[in-house]
Amino acid sequence: AQAGGYVMRRIFTGRVEAKRSSALGFEQGGRVSEVLVREGDGVRTGQVVARLDRALLIARREEQRAALADAEAGLSLAQATLTRYRESVEQGAVTRQALDEAREGARAAEARVALSRARIATIDLDIEKTELLAPFDGVVTRRLAHEGRVLPAGEPLLHLQERATPEVRVGVAGPLADVLIPGRQYPLRWRGHEFAARLRALVPVRTTPARTLDALFVPTGDQAALRPGELVELELEEWIREQGAWVPLAALKEGTRGLWQLYTAEPLDVPPPAGLQADHRIASLPVAILYHEGDRAFVRGPFRVEHQVVRAGLQRLVPGQVVRVLPPAADTLAMGDR
């Protein structure tokens, strides 16, 4: 039976990804004094997971506190001098130039005090940053350094993966990406069983070199066993408009130049040889396989309505051989005997 097209099923493989995954490191360099978690440990948002040695920062803070005390003493002296000069300028004992110098000296002393306090605040902030905090609830998947190592600023110490339900990223090639609709649910397969997932977004940029669009799916329901790194399959169907016919794979015989052959039974146009009850002759029909699934294939070739295709047993036949075609109701054993 001929058809005007066929449904092609295509399977795309994707990977399960954590919604958030981060390589945690300190903003400043230093010697690691404590790592409070191990691989596989769960952490909460804001939990301290590691510390740097802070002895040098504490010493710098004490130094700046001493500088602040000196600046505050200088400020007290400058303010007292300014007060005396103001009283004296009214009596004519001090010039206005000296008063202006005393006023600016007091302002400079105030600036030195403010600078010392800002430096102390900066050191306090640096001390706070010697503690590495977890940015989200997750699981430590990798530990890259131990106590005693001196890390440069920004070098990762731990890898953290979010605990939330992961996403599935599937690269979809060709025009099938255009049939995906964000918000709709699609069936995905993982480890032999199927689960539903909602298409959250379709990234509008084709990746290279595969030239695929990334479709991001969020599993619905409880998929606690779905771990990042697992492979997942998405099956999509595409209607291919093409004239052809479905035939059993057993009816195909390899031909030449990439083509295949179907054996057909065509009515005899001359009487059969004496003693043979034949009414048809085996003919070879060249076809091209367009698609196959299971035990059948969709082929294209010079078909005619009256063609009868030999379904199996091609190894017992050759083109030009005369045969007798039994009606469909004939006994199968009798067919085998003949």
Side-chain angles (χ1 to χ4, degrees), residues 10-274:
R10 299 190 60 185
I11 295 177
F12 301 95
T13 302
R15 186 179 297 274
V16 180
E17 298 179 348
K19 287 185 177 179
R20 287 188 291 180
S21 180
S22 180
L24 304 184
F26 293 98
E27 293 185 30
Q28 57 190 8
R31 182 176 62 85
V32 179
S33 63
E34 287 183 289
V35 181
L36 304 175
V37 293
R38 297 179 298 176
E39 293 180 356
D41 288 351
V43 298
R44 307 291 296 179
T45 303
Q47 178 180 336
V48 178
V49 295
R51 291 189 178 95
L52 290 178
D53 180 70
R54 59 178 69 180
L56 180 60
L57 291 174
I58 292 175
R60 287 175 51 196
R61 182 172 61 182
E62 293 303 317
E63 180 183 351
Q64 287 301 321
R65 283 184 172 178
L68 174 61
D70 180 68
E72 289 175 340
L75 175 60
S76 298
L77 178 60
Q79 288 176 338
T81 302
L82 178 59
T83 301
R84 287 194 301 269
Y85 277 24
R86 282 174 177 169
E87 296 174 353
S88 300
V89 76
E90 296 176 357
Q91 301 173 3
V94 176
T95 63
R96 292 193 174 276
Q97 175 66 28
L99 177 62
D100 292 339
E101 292 176 356
R103 183 183 298 112
E104 295 306 317
R107 290 180 58 188
E110 290 176 354
R112 285 191 291 270
V113 170
L115 177 61
S116 294
R117 289 173 177 169
R119 286 174 175 172
I120 291 175
T122 300
I123 294 174
D124 287 340
L125 182 59
D126 288 340
I127 290 175
E128 289 181 11
K129 290 184 178 181
T130 59
E131 292 187 337
L132 186 60
L133 308 180
F136 48 79
D137 294 352
V139 177
V140 178
T141 59
R142 194 176 179 190
R143 175 172 169 172
L144 303 174
H146 295 270
E147 291 81 358
R149 180 174 175 180
V150 177
L151 293 178
E155 180 171 330
L157 173 63
L158 300 168
H159 280 234
L160 184 64
Q161 180 178 285
E162 191 175 20
R163 282 185 178 276
T165 302
E167 288 188 336
V168 179
R169 182 184 298 266
V170 181
V172 181
L176 283 177
D178 299 330
V179 305
L180 295 174
I181 301 175
R184 180 174 294 181
Q185 288 196 1
Y186 293 88
L188 301 179
R189 282 201 303 270
W190 169 68
R191 291 187 180 180
H193 75 272
E194 190 174 281
F195 65 94
R198 178 179 57 85
L199 179 59
R200 183 180 67 81
L202 193 64
V203 180
V205 178
R206 290 196 180 271
T207 60
T208 55
R211 308 300 300 165
T212 60
L213 287 179
D214 286 346
L216 303 178
F217 294 90
V218 178
T220 58
D222 184 14
Q223 297 295 332
L226 202 62
R227 298 183 179 90
E230 300 272 11
L231 296 181
V232 175
E233 291 181 344
L234 167 68
E235 182 177 307
L236 296 176
E237 295 183 349
E238 180 182 8
W239 172 255
I240 305 298
R241 187 177 298 279
E242 184 74 51
Q243 289 296 322
W246 286 103
V247 297
L249 286 178
L252 291 167
K253 184 178 179 63
E254 189 173 0
T256 59
R257 298 181 180 180
L259 295 177
W260 293 77
Q261 292 180 342
L262 286 177
Y263 282 178
T264 62
E266 298 186 352
L268 289 175
D269 51 3
V270 295

Side-chain angles (χ1 to χ4, degrees), residues 273-314:
L276 294 180
Q277 298 181 4
D279 49 15
H280 286 73
R281 184 184 304 275
I282 296 298
S284 175
L285 183 68
V287 296
I289 297 179
L290 302 180
Y291 179 68
H292 72 86
E293 64 175 15
D295 60 352
R296 64 176 188 161
F298 191 85
V299 298
R300 179 178 58 200
F303 302 113
R304 294 197 305 271
V305 176
E306 65 271 16
H307 275 148
Q308 299 183 81
V309 175
V310 181
R311 295 178 55 91
L314 273 63

